[in-house]
Every structure is written in structure tokens, then in C-alpha cells.
Amino acid sequence: MCCLLVVLSVLGPRVAFALTWLTTERVSVAAHGGVLAPVLGLLFLPWTALAYTFAYAPHAGVTGLGWVVVVLALLADLGAYGSGSEKRRRSRRA
């Protein structure tokens, strides 16, 4: 059960971002037609890429509360990386 939760938490934002990219134009609009930034976001910072995509407005960009959401998503991504390294460090001690 624990492994299933880990797999879902890792794949969840990536699947949501990939589905958003495939089914809507939001990712292309937010990335200004580029492909590199969305691919890197999909691989390394999926929560941040997903939040930026939904916070982006075509004429105004990301403003106000949108930046708060993007920063919180960035903290979630960084927290996921940090918790993984902490778990590995603890398992080596045991």
C-alpha cells in the first residue's frame, strides 16, 4: 500500500501535466510555443509546471495570487526531493 501511494504521488502531477498538454492549448500558450521548458517541467518540477500552466493568463502572464500558487508548487516539488534524500539518509543509518 505504501509503495502504491509513493508511485501515485510521483506520477500524479506528471500525468495531470501530460494530459493537460495533450488535450488543451494551455501548456503551449504558457510556454510561448516552446517545448524545452514544458519537457523539463514534466521531468523535474511537475507541480510547478502544472501550477504555472494554470496560473498563466495569455495577456497578463502570471500575476498576484498566481505567483503564490506557483511558489507553493515549487516548495512542494523541492520538498519531495528533500524528503527523498532524508529518507535515504535515515535508511543508511539503520
Side-chain angles (χ1 to χ4, degrees), residues 66-77:
W67 280 117
V68 173
V69 172
V70 171
V71 168
L72 290 174
L74 177 64
L75 292 175
D77 282 329

Side-chain angles (χ1 to χ4, degrees), residues 2 82-92:
C2 182
S83 67
S85 64
E86 178 64 25
K87 185 167 178 80
R88 282 189 300 274
R89 191 174 24 243
R90 286 185 183 187
S91 67
R92 287 182 191 152

Side-chain angles (χ1 to χ4, degrees), residues 5-55:
L5 290 176
V6 170
V7 168
L8 288 177
S9 68
V10 169
L11 293 179
R14 287 175 174 88
V15 169
F17 185 71
L19 287 175
T20 301
W21 197 355
L22 293 172
T23 59
T24 68
E25 293 293 318
R26 291 196 65 86
V27 175
S28 296
V29 170
H32 307 293
V35 177
L36 182 62
V39 169
L40 291 176
L42 183 67
L43 293 174
F44 298 112
L45 298 171
W47 285 113
T48 306
L50 189 63
Y52 183 85
T53 298
F54 285 110

